Amino acid sequence: MKKKMLLLNTTVLLGLGGVLSTPAYASTIQDMESQKSQIQNQRQDVQSNIKAASDELTRLQAEQDQMKAQLERLTLAEEENNKKAQKTEADIKETSKQVDQLEKEIKLLQEKLEKRNDILKDRARSMQESGGNVEYLQVLLGSSSFGDFVDRALAVSTIVDADRGILTETKNMQDELKTKQADVKSKLASLEDMKAELDEMTVQLAAQKKQKDALAKELKDKEAKNEELKASLQSKDSSLANEQSTLEQNIKDQKAAEEAARKAAEQAAKEAAKKAAEQAQKAAAAAPSEKADSPSPKAAPKASSNDVAPTSAPAPKASNVVTVGNRWIGNSAYVFGGGRSQSDINHGLFDCSSFVHWAYSQVGVNLGPLGSVSTETLKHAGTQVSSSQMQPGDLVFFDTYKKDGHVGIYVGGGKFIGAQSSTGVAIANMSSGYWKQKFNGRVVRI
């Protein structure tokens, strides 16, 4: 009897074990968990790439912002330089008119002087012929009528007065002529300088426009690439996210089905056990009933993520006149006559002399009134030294559109920093090429 009960219980337990074990489900979930793990790994790689791409996009955005600011500066510089060019053209026209008027006045003075000279010659000839005295009576007696006599009498009176003042007036006219001729010479020299400056501005305006157009195109291209890269990364991440979400839902559905099957199996096992117990009780009322429990292990996947925060180092700070202007490299534009107001300085709009003035002011050196600073004032601001003794911080001068038309600060190594008309503030090589040809040897130590 006991053997029969043992066999029956064994059969029941084997049947219960067969019901509770679901190798098909376990295998399916295990496969899906493995796929999920693979997708998570793939997505972690993509997220890492997205992080790197985001950092690159942030860097590019900062570069774009800088480019936009520079583009705005170049646009403003172009407007200011155009105004300056138009004003210079107007000044040239006005000066040309003044020169024309002076030349007309000079011509009239020359004609008057010629007439005066003729009168003086006639007077001298009359005096010589009369032995040093003018015979005015003969002039009057030679009249043909009373009217003619009156006219001659008036003429004689005028000539007598002229005897006392004609030389003085002639001298004054000659002095006036010299003054006007000197004025014309000065205005012509100024006119030549203005024309040379206008020619220089025309060339630099073309260069600035070319630079601005190239910068605008570069900015547009980078914006397009940024958008393309951003869209590509977002699409890839979205695809992986959808795939992961679908797989997670499948795992959830599969686990729900497994849970339902497990509960059904437990219920069937309970009923089978109950039925087996009832049969066993009938078979042997005195025999004890046995139970077996089967544990159901559970496993919970764990996920972890690490975030790395970017770090940034503080920007170095300039400490002397050689390096203080580096902050404007790539962040400035050249404006003829610029840099003489706080607004211009805030926007990085300089010409060569105002930049030098600003740089020295940053290290506590005043190079005179900002409003009137020029290459002419700067070349007298310190001590002239030989170019062979040139040291960092010295001012160096170049003959561009005129003598000493450009100035910069020597930084050493055959280079200088200055507001260059084509690039804004920049470091240029003066030991070769264009600037070597233009360097005139003038060096001023402040």
Side-chain angles (χ1 to χ4, degrees):
M1 179 65 70
K2 287 184 179 180
K3 288 183 179 180
K4 288 182 179 179
M5 290 180 63
L6 180 60
L7 179 62
L8 180 60
N9 288 335
T10 301
T11 302
V12 171
L13 290 174
L14 288 174
L16 182 59
V19 174
L20 290 176
S21 64
T22 54
Y25 288 127
S27 176
T28 302
I29 291 176
Q30 185 177 0
D31 289 344
M32 286 192 293
E33 289 287 1
S34 177
Q35 292 175 17
K36 177 182 175 182
S37 178
Q38 292 176 4
I39 290 176
Q40 286 177 332
N41 290 336
Q42 291 178 11
R43 197 174 182 198
Q44 283 179 358
D45 291 339
V46 172
Q47 290 290 347
S48 178
N49 291 334
I50 289 176
K51 173 69 167 55
S54 296
D55 292 343
E56 178 65 9
L57 286 171
T58 300
R59 187 191 69 79
L60 288 175
Q61 185 61 52
E63 184 179 340
Q64 283 178 296
D65 292 342
Q66 186 176 359
M67 290 171 66
K68 287 178 180 178
Q70 180 66 1
L71 191 59
E72 290 175 358
R73 274 188 290 271
L74 287 174
T75 301
L76 181 59
E78 186 178 28
E79 292 174 356
E80 292 300 320
N81 286 333
N82 276 325
K83 290 178 183 177
K84 177 67 174 178
Q86 291 171 2
K87 183 179 183 303
T88 302
E89 287 180 347
D91 290 344
I92 289 173
K93 290 180 180 178
E94 179 61 28
T95 304
S96 297
K97 289 180 181 178
Q98 292 176 6
V99 168
D100 291 341
Q101 181 62 33
L102 283 172
E103 288 178 343
K104 290 178 181 178
E105 292 175 3
I106 288 172
K107 185 177 180 180
L108 289 174
L109 279 172
Q110 288 174 336
E111 291 176 353
K112 288 181 180 179
L113 281 172
E114 288 176 0
K115 291 179 180 179
R116 290 282 180 169
N117 288 335
D118 290 340
I119 292 174
L120 288 172
K121 289 177 182 179
D122 290 341
R123 302 292 294 167
R125 189 179 299 111
S126 294
M127 291 180 68
Q128 183 180 13
E129 291 174 354
S130 62
N133 295 315
V134 179
E135 298 295 337
Y136 296 117
L137 183 59
Q138 294 178 5
V139 175
L140 294 174
L141 294 176
S143 58
S144 59
S145 64
F146 181 75
D148 185 26
F149 176 83
V150 171
D151 290 338
R152 290 191 179 212
L154 291 173
V156 167
S157 175
T158 301
I159 292 173
V160 171
D161 292 335
D163 282 341
R164 293 188 299 267
I166 192 169
L167 292 176
T168 301
E169 291 177 1
T170 302
K171 179 65 170 60
N172 291 339
M173 290 174 65
Q174 288 175 334
D175 291 342
E176 184 181 359
L177 178 62
K178 289 180 180 180
T179 300
K180 289 184 181 294
Q181 287 175 332
D183 195 11
V184 166
K185 185 177 180 180
S186 174
K187 288 187 179 296
L188 285 174
S190 174
L191 194 60
E192 289 176 358
D193 285 346
M194 284 191 289
K195 287 181 177 178
E197 185 178 8
L198 181 60
D199 291 341
E200 179 78 4
M201 281 190 285
T202 302
V203 172
Q204 298 309 327
L205 279 171
Q208 281 187 335
K209 186 177 187 306
K210 184 177 180 180
Q211 182 187 8
K212 188 185 77 171
D213 292 344
L215 193 60
K217 184 179 183 303
E218 183 181 357
L219 180 60
K220 186 176 180 180
D221 291 343
K222 284 192 175 184
E223 286 178 342
K225 288 181 180 178
N226 287 353
E227 290 300 327
E228 183 180 351
L229 177 59
K230 183 179 177 181
S232 174
L233 288 171
Q234 288 177 339
S235 176
K236 189 171 184 180
D237 184 55
S238 177
S239 176
L240 284 172
N242 290 336
E243 188 175 350
Q244 181 178 339
S245 177
T246 300
L247 190 57
E248 287 175 347
Q249 185 62 43
N250 290 341
I251 291 174
K252 183 179 179 181
D253 293 344
Q254 191 65 35
K255 285 185 175 181
E258 179 185 344
E259 181 66 16
R262 187 185 65 78
K263 289 180 178 180
E266 286 180 351
Q267 183 64 30
K270 288 179 181 179
E271 292 177 357
K274 183 179 179 181
K275 187 174 181 181
E278 289 175 352
Q279 291 176 353
Q281 286 177 355
K282 290 178 181 179
S289 61
E290 299 179 6
K291 293 184 179 181
D293 295 329
S294 176
S296 178
K298 295 183 181 179
K302 294 183 178 180
S304 64
S305 61
N306 296 321
D307 295 330
V308 179
T311 59
S312 59
K317 186 177 181 180
S319 60
N320 57 59
V321 72
V322 175
T323 58
V324 72
N326 290 351
R327 60 170 290 195
W328 294 115
I329 295 176
N331 297 306
S332 59
Y334 187 93
V335 173
F336 289 92
R340 287 163 178 78
S341 68
Q342 193 58 49
S343 176
D344 279 359
I345 293 173
N346 292 342
H347 289 88
L349 305 178
F350 297 97
D351 64 10
C352 61
S353 54
S354 65
F355 170 76
V356 169
H357 188 284
W358 174 87
Y360 269 93
S361 71
Q362 299 307 295
V363 295
V365 178
N366 185 357
L367 296 181
L370 176 59
S372 59
V373 66
S374 66
T375 54
E376 190 67 23
T377 64
L378 290 176
K379 75 181 185 182
H380 299 295
T383 304
Q384 303 279 332
V385 298
S386 170
S387 59
S388 62
Q389 299 175 335
M390 192 159 45
Q391 296 177 3
D394 290 343
L395 302 188
V396 286
F397 291 79
F398 305 85
D399 293 342
T400 51
Y401 70 95
K402 67 176 183 178
K403 186 171 180 59
D404 299 318
H406 189 70
V407 63
I409 302 172
Y410 187 65
V411 300
K415 297 180 179 180
F416 76 100
I417 186 171
Q420 324 299 7
S421 55
S422 58
T423 60
V425 175
I427 294 176
N429 190 351
M430 59 182 289
S431 59
S432 64
Y434 175 81
W435 292 113
K436 181 180 180 180
Q437 296 174 4
K438 297 298 182 180
F439 179 52
N440 62 16
R442 186 188 297 279
V443 180
V444 174
R445 184 160 299 160
I446 302 300

